[in-house]
Amino acid sequence: MQVALRDIGNCVIRRCDPSDIIPVMEINMKTLPEHYSDYFYESLLAELPEAFLVAEAEKKLIGYIMCKIEYGFSNFKKLGFVKKGHVVSIAVLPEHRQKGIGRALVEEAISGVKLKRSDELYLEVRCSNNEAIKLYEKLGFIIKQRLKAYYRDGEDAYLMTIEFSY
Ligand code: ACO
Ligand code: ZN
């Protein structure tokens, strides 16, 4: 059993357990066109449990966020290799949106990647996904680049990123 990181009304944000992966995959299937293998979810959980989080209400999962750590060129500095967190996927079930759960998931994932001393956190988001873009901008992410035809259906993505200081 994982400890609650935060309560929002009757919903708690906590780390993901291995037994949560199937319900997380079900939320992903219902909410996003990008899907992954069970092995991929398991490997993200094994590598970065600090930033693989779920939202639970009335004993059911209603949202998740999962991230990984990468080493690469900074999106902010011209030179140098940095440790970057990458938000791979986040979703909240439609009937539970606009109650602050998405925001809490991103804020707690930021804390999680900061525990690993990441220099930055980045993500890609569909240019048409206004709700998500608004949420990320509220939390301090900025649009750094437009990635042409990033998605399988040809839609462009924005690369959004936030820099941390310690
Ligand atoms: N219209 C405008 N702004 C919105 C909306 C909306 N419908 N929903 C959220 N926002 C913005 C607002 O700025 C809001 O702040 P406010 O409440 O102070 O106005 C802020 O986001 C936070 O809202 P939350 O209630 O915390 O967000 P929610 O729980 O609804 O989750 C999410 C947002 C995760 C984007 C949700 O809409 C969702 O699951 N969408 C489908 C899946 C998806 O698109 N995921 C992101 C893909 S990109 C990636 O995974 C890296
Ligand atoms: Zn990505």
Side-chain angles (χ1 to χ4, degrees), residues 26-32 61-64 90-102 105 131:
E26 286 168 358
I27 296 172
N28 169 268
M29 293 296 280
K30 282 186 196 155
T31 54
L32 282 165
L61 294 198
I62 59 169
Y64 72 90
I90 169 176
V92 174
L93 287 176
E95 57 274 31
H96 296 278
R97 287 182 193 160
Q98 289 190 275
K99 293 181 190 159
I101 295 167
L105 285 167
E131 304 89 71

Side-chain angles (χ1 to χ4, degrees), residues 86-88 124 150:
H86 177 176
V87 180
V88 176
E124 302 90 8
Y150 178 79

Side-chain angles (χ1 to χ4, degrees), residues 2 14-22 24 37-54 61 64-69 88 116:
Q2 302 284 355
R14 60 168 176 79
R15 287 191 188 179
C16 182
D17 254 345
S19 62
D20 295 321
I21 285 181
I22 288 175
V24 164
S37 68
D38 50 358
Y39 171 76
F40 184 67
Y41 288 86
E42 283 160 13
S43 64
L44 293 185
L45 179 57
E47 282 166 31
L48 192 58
E50 296 85 352
F52 193 148
L53 310 174
V54 295
L61 294 198
Y64 72 90
I65 187 166
M66 57 187 194
C67 305
K68 61 182 173 175
I69 295 279
V88 176
K116 297 296 218 182

